[in-house]
Amino acid sequence: MSTTRPINNAAEKARVLIESLPWLQSFAGKTVVIKFGGNAMVSDELKERFAEDMVYLRTVGVRPVIVHGGGPQITAMLEKLGIASEFRAGYRYTSPEAMSVVREVLTEHISGELVSLITDHGVVATGIPGDHGLFQGRRLTAVNGEDVDLGLVGEVVSVDPAQVIAALDAGAIPVVSTIAPDIDEPTQSLNVNADSAAAALAVALHAEKLMILTDVPGLYANWPDTSTLVSSITASELRDMVPTLSSGMIPKASACVEAVVGGVPKAAMIDGREPHGILLEVFTPEGVGTEVVPDAGE
């Protein structure tokens, strides 16, 4: 029995593969940090695609590191347990009771699921809680210059990436949950912003790129005018825009600035709803979303 092969379709696939070659060569052996969040975290289909992308990156020689938060899942668990969710200055107020829920959701539920999904595709993944020697944090007591009581909310003040590097060197994909011990009270864990934690880790790892998944196509110069999508912006230009952004985009934009100023060559905010958007961002000249680059001369 003979079959007819779709030559045109095969040729198109070959063209795409060849076009990706320069980017494959450029990123081979390099570390990229991906902050996983938004709708990609709650859609089973998007989680599956994300796991496929991570395995693809590792298989072609890129060293991906996943950093995740878990806002929707934490809210759902708190509601289930009858614990009120309260937000102050854009941050979740985290009581000691809520902190135990935060830790369980991040380190057991979300990290555990991601590790399982990735491993099911043939590459070992390992969960690394941020408060197991990776991060050191300090309580956040002011936002935009104003004092605010956020409970057990902190910011990362130091990073020891040894565990992450060891996992990468062993061929695994690290999955990092964003909690940190309080540097002033080491037995106490803090809930830290995942965008900022991803930026701090990217700097500590001398990563080639930081990618932050969002629920929008990227940064708009004049929101809600969708024709003003910014494809590329310098760190200083973005820093000037931060006060004008929506509350949800401020931590993501600030994290991109923090990473690039800290020595990461590029950062990007990309739509986590875009099928295989991470691969498009890494392996095509056009990329997707908004890329943040150093200022000229830096």
Side-chain angles (χ1 to χ4, degrees):
M1 182 177 69
S2 63
T3 59
T4 301
R5 292 162 54 181
I7 300 298
N8 291 338
N9 188 43
E12 175 64 17
K13 290 179 180 178
R15 183 190 65 79
V16 171
L17 290 171
I18 290 300
E19 285 186 351
S20 70
L21 181 59
W23 309 102
L24 287 166
Q25 293 172 323
S26 175
F27 279 91
K30 302 293 179 63
T31 298
V32 296
V33 175
I34 302 102
K35 188 271 178 164
F36 181 57
N39 280 326
M41 296 188 71
V42 295
S43 162
D44 289 338
E45 180 181 1
L46 290 177
K47 282 186 284 190
E48 187 71 26
R49 289 175 178 173
F50 178 80
E52 290 173 346
D53 287 356
M54 295 302 99
V55 170
Y56 183 92
L57 289 176
R58 198 67 181 93
T59 302
V60 299
V62 184
R63 291 155 58 99
V65 176
I66 302 166
V67 178
H68 69 83
Q73 294 90 332
I74 291 169
T75 297
M77 182 61 76
L78 290 173
E79 290 178 354
K80 181 179 179 180
L81 297 174
I83 302 173
S85 288
E86 180 185 354
F87 288 85
R88 302 176 181 178
Y91 291 83
R92 183 192 303 275
Y93 173 80
T94 306
S95 65
E97 186 180 26
M99 186 65 221
S100 65
V101 175
V102 169
R103 194 179 199 290
E104 177 184 351
V105 170
L106 294 182
T107 62
E108 297 181 22
H109 299 184
I110 298 176
S111 280
E113 183 180 21
L114 283 174
V115 166
S116 179
L117 284 171
I118 292 167
T119 302
D120 285 348
H121 283 84
V123 172
V124 173
T126 182
I128 301 178
D131 60 352
H132 282 197
L134 174 57
F135 297 132
Q136 292 284 333
R138 177 169 283 123
R139 292 197 190 198
L140 190 63
T141 59
V143 177
N144 296 327
E146 295 187 10
D147 292 340
V148 59
D149 178 13
L150 299 173
L152 299 176
V153 171
E155 54 187 345
V156 173
V157 294
S158 68
V159 181
D160 180 356
Q163 294 176 74
V164 174
I165 294 170
L168 289 170
D169 289 346
I173 297 177
V175 179
V176 175
S177 52
T178 52
I179 49 180
D182 188 339
I183 197 169
D184 300 315
E185 191 180 342
T187 60
Q188 178 62 64
S189 292
L190 299 174
N191 181 14
V192 299
N193 178 270
D195 299 311
S196 179
L201 183 55
V203 171
L205 290 170
H206 306 289
E208 186 69 15
K209 191 163 190 171
L210 167 68
M211 288 178 279
I212 295 182
L213 301 190
T214 74
D215 287 337
V216 294
L219 185 68
Y220 292 94
N222 186 25
W223 175 258
D225 183 354
T226 57
S227 68
T228 63
L229 182 66
V230 178
S231 60
S232 182
I233 190 170
T234 66
S236 63
E237 289 172 335
L238 181 54
R239 185 190 290 113
D240 291 341
M241 281 185 67
V242 164
T244 70
L245 301 178
S246 66
S247 59
M249 287 299 290
I250 287 175
K252 302 179 192 322
S254 298
C256 288
V257 171
E258 178 185 345
V260 171
V261 171
V264 177
K266 293 180 179 180
M269 291 172 279
I270 65 176
D271 193 342
R273 303 165 302 177
E274 177 78 24
H276 304 297
I278 291 170
L279 300 186
L280 293 172
E281 176 62 29
V282 175
F283 296 130
T284 67
E286 299 87 3
V288 294
T290 300
E291 186 171 73
V292 184
V293 298
D295 295 318
E298 290 189 3

